[in-house]
Amino acid sequence: MEPLSPFMQQALAQAARAVGLSEPNPRVGCVIVSPDGERVLGEGHTQAAGDAHAEIMALRDAAAKGHSVVGATAYVTLEPCAHHGRTGPCCEAVAAAGIAKVVAALPDPNPLVAGQGLARLQAAGVQVEVGPGAAQSRELNIGFFSRMIRGTPWLRMKVAATLDGKTALDNGASQWITSEAARADGHAWRARAGAVLTGIGTLLEDNPRLDVRLVPSARQPDAVVVDSRLETPPDARVFRPGRKLFIYGAASDAGRKAALEARGATVVMLPGPGGKVDLEALLRDLARREVNELHVEAGHKLNGSLIRSGLVDELLVYIAPKLVGQGREMAHFGPLADLAHAVAFEFLSTEMVGPDLRLIARIPGRDTF
C-alpha cells in the first residue's frame, strides 16, 4: 500500500474535526492544494447540518486568504455531493471554481449521490482519482455508511465494569465504578453519537440525563428510552428543552402516552415478542430519523437482549482495577450449552484512561457492509 499523501492526511484531520458537529451528515474534510502541489490554498470540514460542507468551507478559506484555486487539486475524504438537500451540490461549486483535479477517498454511499458527484465532475472536465484514505474515511463515518447501506445505525455499547466483570452491586449501586477520566472519555464518545439509548430499568434507578456534560460539545445527541410499558416518569431528567427524546413502547396506554407526549417526547409503539419492544424495528426507525451512531448505556437486561438479538456492532468497555465479588453482570443472556456458541468479538484497541483500561472490541466482519 502506497503511503498516504500528507494532503489527504490533512483532509482526514479536518474531517475528524466534524465529529460531534456534522451529524447526520458525514464527517468530511477538504484540502485545496496549489497547481504546483507545493502549498495548501484552503481547507475546511463539514459544518452543522444545513450549513456549509467541507468543499465550500475550503473554497471560502482559500478566497479569504486571497488565493485563486484555478488549476488546483482538491483532496476530499468523501465524494462531493451531487444533490440539493439542506445545501446545494458541492460538485458544481468545485467545478465552477476551476479546480482541475479531485482526489476523493470514497464514493458517497448515499443513494442520492452514489457516484453522481464524481461523474458530474468528470463531465465538467475535472480529473478524478478515488481511493487514497478510503479505510480511514470509512472508519470515521462508520455510522453514516451503516445507515445508508444497512438501514440501521452503528450500535456501540458502552460498559463500565470491574475486573470481575460487574457493572453494579447487587443493590444496583454503580456510581462510580470507573474514574472521572474514564467518565469524561465516555462523554466524548457520547458526543460523537447521533443518539444515546438506555432502558427503563436504568432510567428508574439512576435517572440519567443521557447528555454530554463532561467534554465540550457543539450539539447534544438525541435521547432514546426503551420502555415497554411506558413507565418513564414525566419529571425524569432525560426531558430537556430543545432536545429530541424518543420513547419506544410495546404495551399501549393512551394516558401514559399522552402524558409523555405533553412533556415533548416522541412516543413510538413497536411491540415485539413477549410484550417487549421490537429492538430491530427500533434501530430501523432511528435510522429513518437520521441517527448514524447509536451509543448504548443500559443495564444488564437490555444489554443482554441487544447482544442476544445480534444487534451490537461494537463494545466500548472501561475496566476499573477493582473487585466487588457478587454484583450485576455486563449483559444477561444465555445460558449457552457450549463455549463454541459464545458471542465473539475482536479487540480493536486497548488504552489506559486514567487508572482504568479502555477496550474497544468489534464483531468480526461486522464493518464489511
Side-chain angles (χ1 to χ4, degrees):
M1 181 182 297
E2 293 185 9
L4 202 57
S5 155
F7 299 125
M8 183 56 81
Q9 292 178 14
Q10 192 167 339
L12 288 164
Q14 279 288 328
R17 296 179 63 183
V19 171
L21 172 65
S22 66
E23 280 71 19
N25 291 333
R27 299 136 182 182
V28 183
C30 179
V31 171
I32 300 174
V33 179
S34 60
D36 61 8
E38 297 293 329
R39 295 176 299 124
V40 171
L41 304 178
E43 59 185 333
H45 58 81
T46 303
Q47 302 298 296
D51 290 336
H53 290 187
E55 300 90 337
I56 304 305
M57 293 299 294
L59 289 170
R60 289 178 182 174
D61 185 44
K65 294 172 179 175
H67 297 315
S68 168
V69 299
V70 174
T73 297
Y75 291 81
V76 61
T77 60
L78 194 69
E79 172 186 4
C81 66
H83 64 298
H84 287 271
R86 297 180 179 93
T87 61
C90 289
C91 62
E92 291 182 2
V94 168
I99 298 288
K101 181 178 180 179
V102 170
V103 180
L106 282 167
D108 191 328
N110 187 340
L112 297 175
V113 185
Q116 295 180 55
L118 299 175
R120 287 169 67 172
L121 285 170
Q122 290 175 315
V126 179
Q127 184 182 352
V128 169
E129 179 184 350
V130 180
Q136 297 93 326
S137 178
R138 196 175 193 277
E139 182 63 28
L140 191 62
N141 289 294
I142 191 74
F144 182 73
F145 274 76
S146 176
R147 176 166 69 91
M148 288 297 163
I149 297 173
R150 298 192 303 180
T152 58
W154 181 259
L155 194 156
R156 181 179 295 112
M157 179 180 287
K158 181 258 184 178
V159 177
T162 61
L163 273 174
D164 46 355
K166 300 302 188 293
T167 59
L169 302 181
D170 275 337
N171 63 10
S174 62
Q175 297 178 349
W176 298 101
I177 285 176
T178 53
S179 65
E180 185 176 345
R183 297 196 297 275
D185 192 70
H187 275 235
W189 286 89
R190 281 187 186 183
R192 67 173 285 151
V196 179
L197 177 148
T198 196
I200 185 61
T202 298
L203 188 138
L204 292 176
E205 285 191 350
D206 298 341
N207 197 16
R209 300 179 193 176
L210 302 185
D211 61 0
V212 179
R213 303 183 302 281
L214 303 183
V215 298
S217 180
R219 51 172 289 281
Q220 287 290 342
D222 298 340
V224 181
V225 180
V226 180
D227 180 6
S228 296
R229 295 188 292 272
L230 300 185
E231 298 173 298
T232 299
D235 61 349
R237 294 197 298 176
V238 75
F239 290 96
R240 285 176 54 101
R243 184 178 65 163
K244 293 179 182 178
L245 168 62
F246 300 100
I247 298 175
Y248 289 88
S252 183
D253 184 308
R256 291 179 179 177
K257 183 173 184 290
L260 295 173
E261 290 175 335
R263 289 283 286 117
T266 298
V267 180
V268 183
M269 306 307 294
L270 292 176
K276 303 293 185 182
V277 173
D278 185 330
L279 295 175
E280 184 173 356
L282 179 155
L283 293 188
R284 296 196 175 280
D285 188 68
L286 288 176
R288 286 191 290 270
R289 299 177 191 276
E290 298 189 310
V291 173
N292 294 331
E293 294 184 17
L294 179 62
H295 180 97
V296 174
E297 295 194 26
H300 62 294
K301 292 181 180 179
L302 180 53
N303 284 353
S305 295
L306 289 165
I307 290 174
R308 184 169 55 247
S309 301
L311 300 176
V312 176
D313 298 308
E314 189 169 284
L315 295 177
L316 170 67
V317 183
Y318 297 88
I319 302 293
K322 303 172 183 177
L323 298 172
V324 298
Q326 290 186 336
R328 298 184 183 178
E329 56 201 345
M330 293 185 188
H332 181 75
F333 64 98
L336 303 179
D338 194 300
L339 279 174
H341 300 152
V343 181
F345 289 80
E346 58 184 4
F347 288 120
L348 292 189
S349 71
T350 60
E351 185 174 341
M352 295 300 299
V353 179
D356 305 314
L357 177 64
R358 185 185 70 194
L359 307 173
I360 300 178
R362 183 174 293 179
I363 296 284
R366 185 58 65 88
D367 55 359
T368 56
F369 45 81

